[in-house]
Amino acid sequence: MSEAVIVMTVTTAAFLVGPLVCVACLNVPALREWIAGLTFVCIGGLALFVVGWEAVAAVGLPALVFLVLGLALPWLMHQLGGVLGANIADAAIVLGLAVHVFVESAALGATIGGAGLIMAVLVHRLPVSFAVFSLGSVRFGWLSAAVLMLASITGFSFGSTLTSVLSVAGLAYLQAFVAGSLLHVLTEHQFGGSARHNHSGVSTLKFGPATVTGAATGLVLVALAVSQSHAHENEVQLSDQHQTALTDMFR
């Protein structure tokens, strides 16, 4: 089995972790609270300091407009559209995440061997797998995980060809919108396997000992994801500099 297939399998299977663990711990309140704290901190940290930050770094402050849209539009659909609006908003969030996963997988497939990027993707996808399982019913959670896995496999297989026609700005705006959607998930859903909507617009996270421990673990994972992401950026910059030097040498 080639290294590319192994990387694709591991990073794609990460989307199954959330549903499997949530189903297994439905009758274990302490573990559900730990998952809730972990997911809340990871999703918030990744949305702001990884996904959103990379979008702002690519196109500047205009990316913030799309981040706000990603946060506000699902909320408006939840408030104004009732159950149907909430379901459409959740489906839109999953589709937005699927496009993001597709682009992410295309980048990962083009840089097989970059351990830093692979680690960052894994740290990113594990909490997302918990978050998508909080959308709607349990059946919808499993369907969401399947959609993201399909997007991952498709991105690995055909992403380099399809993403080559997209502009850097377009991808950055999409990334900013996804970051906003992830922030929306924090306020409108409950984590830890309950898979229920919360229309109050205020997080129902309970700060017990298990939740605090999970949040602390989430902080470590976010810091790891940020450091690995920056390490990959440095690798790319050094590679570009090396290629430029070789080109100059043989002119």
Side-chain angles (χ1 to χ4, degrees):
M1 185 179 294
S2 68
E3 181 183 5
V5 173
I6 294 174
V7 172
M8 180 184 70
T9 302
V10 171
T11 55
T12 300
F15 289 119
L16 284 176
V17 174
L20 290 173
V21 173
C22 285
V23 169
C25 74
L26 282 175
N27 298 318
V28 187
L31 187 53
R32 288 208 315 268
E33 291 176 8
W34 184 86
I35 292 173
L38 171 72
T39 306
F40 190 89
V41 171
C42 279
I43 292 299
L46 291 170
L48 291 174
F49 302 116
V50 178
V51 182
W53 178 263
E54 290 175 356
V56 173
V59 296
L61 294 180
L64 296 179
V65 175
F66 286 84
L67 189 148
V68 172
L69 285 175
L71 176 61
L73 288 180
W75 180 83
L76 286 173
M77 294 181 71
H78 274 225
Q79 298 301 315
L80 303 177
V83 175
L84 178 60
N87 291 337
I88 294 175
D90 290 344
I93 289 173
V94 173
L95 290 176
L97 282 170
V99 176
H100 172 70
V101 167
F102 175 88
V103 174
E104 184 180 66
S105 297
L108 185 59
T111 56
I112 294 298
L117 180 58
I118 295 172
M119 180 62 69
V121 169
L122 280 176
V123 173
H124 180 179
R125 291 186 175 186
L126 287 174
V128 168
S129 73
F130 288 103
V132 296
F133 198 69
S134 74
L135 300 172
S137 64
V138 172
R139 180 180 297 178
F140 186 84
W142 281 109
L143 178 61
S144 299
V147 169
L148 296 183
M149 292 177 69
L150 178 61
S152 177
I153 295 172
T154 306
F156 267 101
S157 303
F158 309 106
S160 59
T161 301
L162 296 179
T163 56
S164 62
V165 303
L166 300 176
S167 67
V168 173
L171 292 174
Y173 293 139
L174 168 65
Q175 193 155 300
F177 188 87
V178 168
S181 298
L182 290 174
L183 292 176
H184 160 79
V185 172
L186 297 185
T187 61
E188 291 286 343
H189 298 85
Q190 298 178 6
F191 301 116
S194 58
R196 292 178 297 172
H197 284 282
N198 163 34
H199 294 284
S200 66
V202 179
S203 172
T204 56
L205 195 68
K206 298 179 180 179
F207 290 96
T211 308
V212 172
T213 304
T217 307
L219 285 175
V220 174
L221 291 177
V222 170
L224 179 61
V226 172
S227 64
Q228 294 292 351
S229 179
H230 290 169
H232 173 68
E233 290 176 0
N234 291 335
E235 289 175 3
V236 172
Q237 290 175 357
L238 289 174
S239 177
D240 290 343
Q241 292 172 0
H242 180 65
Q243 184 64 39
T244 300
L246 288 176
T247 301
D248 293 339
M249 184 183 300
F250 290 102
R251 277 178 178 174

